[in-house]
Amino acid sequence: MRPMARWAVRWGVQLAMALPLAVLVARWGAMAWGLSPRAAGLTAEPVAETINQLGLWALRALWLTLAVTPLRAVTGWNWLAAWRRPLGLWCFAYATLHLMVYVGLDMLGDLGLLWADVVKHRFILLGMAGWVMLLPLALTSPRAVARWLGGRRWRVLHRLAYVAGLAVAVHFLLRVKGFQIEPWIYAGLLALLLGLRRWPARAIMHWTRPRA
Amino acid sequence: MLIRTPNLLHPTEAEATDEALYWNRRAVLAGLVAAGALPQAAQAQTPLPARRTRTLDEEPTPFDTVTHYNNFYEFGTGKEDPARTAGRLRLRPWTVRVEGMVAKPQTIDIDQLIRQFPLEERVYRLRCVEAWSMVIPWVGFPLAALLRQVEPLGSAKFVAFETLRDPRQMPGQTTAALQWPYVEGLRLDEAMHPLTMLAVGLYGRTLPAQNGAPLRLVVPWKYGFKSIKSIVRIRLLDRQPPTSWNLSAPNEYGFFANVNPDVDHPRWTQSRERRIGDWFPRRTLPFNGYGAEVAGLYRGMNLARYY
């Protein structure tokens, strides 16, 4: 790709990932302005809706991050590799906001209550585990830190993203009542993204391996 | 078995809402509709004169919220779905079949049923198993009144309820979210309890489709899913009937489903709830605050086991 196009794509991705957050902020602004939560698009339970939206976008960003490598393998578009880090950081940003709103506005900052929730309920434990696994990935994302860590160790550490994906997929499955298709679709997509890495690996990964 | 607590259900004349005030509130509502402040759906509901027999010193959840945020999986799994899609439910003609172990089984037309018993307005708390809650002024009559009319046999121990099943009217029934039709049940003494009501309206008007029109159950000390909507069949049985959420996830939803802050849902705490409209969660009360009236029904039962 030409530099212009690459620049446009990069900013396009950043804007697309920022948009859901901007919409949420605008909705909260409208509510602060005096609109009812429903009129502001946050349903009758603005806190619950905000937690749900932030969680869903964290999950989507993680899935997109995990899609980069297989997509690159299939298409041979090596420039996709540059998206992995920004997408991963967006995932961490949404996951952190998701956790902060849950702890701050649902648990009201009561860490005792939070701990009780984590140890008693697998659903909460898995979500928390997902975030805890993302944390070291975000911390080791600056190039300097990655270099200090060394390429091999960095790669091994960042395999935690797969485990985080599994925890998050089950967290979402446990979120809903009755049989609902949406979390199963995401679970299926994750299985596909992880499966593509293992199974036809040699066959499709025809790009030149990045130099360590 | 009859449990009478007349002091609760028959307030003195002074406690009932003055009729002039009552009609005046309706005028305000009509004005809001005319001014476009209330959605179109509100216009379809006709006034239902009722005597207010029970109030709460808690602020009722606004009409707009009560009618635009609820679970009714027949119309989608999102809580704003029912208000959007329940318009296709045909509310007339509608009949309710009351049968089973009764001396006088009947098929009753809904309009006849609405005229049959004196309508009462009762303001109840509603606590959803998902840990949110509302305060709703229902209009209806005690379920006991209807059950007495059909004369339960001595062998009858339980009451089973069934929602309409028609995927053309209820698009959610084309999905596998639950087994259809939705079914619920009560022990006969729970069904005869004076707090248990059949609602035909809310906020002084007939029920909007999304809230379970034309006839729904309201059992205020149990989680909301027990209060089955759009009922077409009521059966008296000698054994405990299956119930929808219990069939879906028996470890999460029991037959009794009494509001109990000490028995958590496996996935979330039931010790607290978010009252819709409040910023901060509040403590959940045993039996949703109706313990003084209903705890006796469960004397000697292990409520952690029979959740």
Side-chain angles (χ1 to χ4, degrees):
Chain A
M1 265 202 307
R2 278 171 303 185
M4 247 327 251
R6 195 171 303 173
W7 183 87
V9 164
R10 178 171 304 163
W11 282 101
V13 168
Q14 297 287 27
L15 279 176
M17 290 313 298
L19 193 63
L21 182 59
V23 168
L24 272 179
V25 170
R27 291 189 195 284
W28 276 81
M31 202 165 58
W33 192 259
L35 245 57
S36 76
R38 182 164 83 85
L42 290 168
T43 82
E45 279 194 279
V47 172
E49 174 68 10
T50 304
I51 294 173
N52 288 344
Q53 287 294 328
L54 290 169
L56 186 58
W57 281 100
L59 181 149
R60 286 175 176 164
L62 181 54
W63 267 227
L64 286 172
T65 313
L66 294 173
V68 166
T69 298
L71 203 63
R72 199 177 142 201
V74 172
T75 61
W77 298 339
N78 285 332
W79 49 267
L80 280 173
W83 287 11
R84 201 165 55 163
R85 189 161 65 142
L87 284 170
L89 286 172
W90 274 113
C91 164
F92 183 70
Y94 277 105
T96 304
L97 287 169
H98 174 66
L99 177 65
M100 279 169 61
V101 176
Y102 159 69
V103 173
L105 297 183
D106 196 17
M107 298 282 117
L108 302 180
D110 185 335
L111 296 183
L113 211 60
L114 173 71
W115 180 247
D117 224 10
V118 168
V119 295
K120 264 178 101 171
H121 306 288
R122 261 183 320 166
F123 162 58
I124 305 289
L125 176 71
L126 283 164
M128 191 57 95
W131 183 83
V132 167
M133 285 187 268
L134 291 175
L135 180 64
L137 308 196
L139 291 176
T140 56
S141 94
R143 275 202 188 96
V145 182
R147 208 171 299 131
W148 167 79
L149 201 62
R152 197 142 75 101
R153 268 185 295 178
W154 187 92
R155 270 200 304 277
V156 171
L157 177 67
H158 279 243
R159 283 188 196 141
L160 264 182
Y162 310 149
V163 190
L166 290 171
V168 166
V170 180
H171 175 64
F172 192 24
L173 281 168
L174 290 177
R175 171 71 190 81
V176 302
K177 285 163 54 206
F179 174 78
Q180 294 186 36
I181 195 75
E182 195 185 3
W184 285 105
I185 291 176
Y186 281 103
L189 283 172
L190 181 70
L192 181 74
L193 293 177
L194 296 187
L196 276 175
R197 286 174 156 78
R198 292 226 49 88
W199 162 54
R202 298 286 175 272
I204 60 171
M205 299 201 177
H206 59 68
W207 73 87
T208 48
R209 287 204 162 271
R211 281 143 293 197
Chain B
M1 178 170 71
L2 284 181
I3 302 167
R4 286 177 192 277
T5 48
N7 52 324
L8 288 168
L9 286 173
H10 301 286
T12 63
E13 196 61 39
E15 284 173 327
T17 309
D18 183 74
E19 200 180 6
L21 272 179
Y22 199 86
W23 287 100
N24 185 43
R25 188 198 58 182
R26 199 160 294 148
V28 172
L29 269 177
L32 284 172
V33 173
L38 279 181
Q40 197 75 2
Q43 290 185 44
Q45 317 312 319
T46 52
L48 275 182
R51 227 166 79 103
R52 181 172 293 181
T53 56
R54 194 178 175 107
T55 56
L56 266 183
D57 55 355
E58 293 170 42
E59 193 66 28
T61 309
F63 175 84
D64 182 63
T65 307
V66 171
T67 54
H68 289 83
Y69 196 78
N70 66 325
N71 284 314
F72 195 171
Y73 279 19
E74 281 81 347
F75 295 105
T77 52
K79 277 184 272 293
E80 292 189 332
D81 292 345
R84 266 196 297 269
T85 62
R88 29 177 134 175
L89 182 63
R90 284 194 308 274
L91 300 175
R92 296 293 187 280
W94 190 285
T95 57
V96 185
R97 177 79 186 152
V98 189
E99 60 186 9
M101 296 179 160
V102 297
K104 296 177 174 169
Q106 288 179 31
T107 302
I108 312 171
D109 178 74
I110 185 66
D111 290 311
Q112 187 198 332
L113 186 61
I114 290 172
R115 284 190 301 268
Q116 208 156 2
F117 305 104
L119 293 182
E120 299 174 30
E121 179 172 76
R122 300 183 182 182
V123 185
Y124 280 160
R125 294 178 207 97
L126 180 140
R127 169 60 157 81
C128 179
V129 75
E130 297 170 346
W132 53 267
S133 63
M134 292 184 180
V135 173
I136 305 177
W138 301 104
V139 175
F141 51 89
L143 171 62
L146 175 63
L147 293 182
R148 254 182 244 128
Q149 181 179 288
V150 297
E151 297 179 13
L153 302 179
S155 51
K157 296 283 178 285
F158 291 90
V159 185
F161 304 85
E162 198 177 303
T163 296
L164 176 73
R165 180 173 185 278
D166 183 351
R168 283 165 307 170
Q169 296 184 59
M170 297 178 144
Q173 289 179 337
T174 58
T175 74
L178 288 169
Q179 290 178 40
W180 314 108
Y182 195 92
V183 288
E184 257 306 335
L186 294 172
R187 224 166 51 188
L188 187 59
D189 57 344
E190 298 175 319
M192 297 298 286
H193 192 278
L195 278 177
T196 305
M197 75 188 289
L198 283 173
V200 294
L202 57 81
Y203 269 102
R205 310 182 141 252
T206 51
L207 282 174
Q210 64 266 32
N211 293 93
L215 181 75
R216 67 169 291 166
L217 185 68
V218 178
V219 194
W221 71 91
K222 292 176 180 283
Y223 292 119
F225 68 85
K226 293 296 288 184
S227 294
I228 183 171
K229 304 183 183 81
S230 305
I231 298 169
V232 293
R233 195 152 77 118
I234 299 174
R235 275 179 309 151
L236 283 96
L237 307 167
D238 59 357
R239 70 190 68 170
Q240 183 176 308
T243 57
S244 285
W245 279 105
N246 182 248
L247 290 171
S248 164
N251 62 325
E252 299 186 350
Y253 312 101
F255 174 80
F256 288 95
N258 294 317
V259 174
N260 190 343
D262 300 325
V263 177
D264 271 4
H265 186 283
R267 292 180 274 148
W268 55 81
T269 178
Q270 295 292 26
S271 64
R272 304 179 324 143
E273 68 197 57
R274 297 180 306 276
R275 173 66 50 84
I276 303 287
D278 281 2
W279 277 108
F280 302 116
R282 60 174 70 196
R283 292 205 161 281
T284 287
L285 303 170
F287 298 105
N288 204 21
Y290 299 96
E293 291 155 79
V294 302
L297 292 171
Y298 310 102
R299 197 158 290 137
M301 274 174 68
N302 177 356
L303 294 176
R305 175 157 178 229
Y306 297 101
Y307 52 88

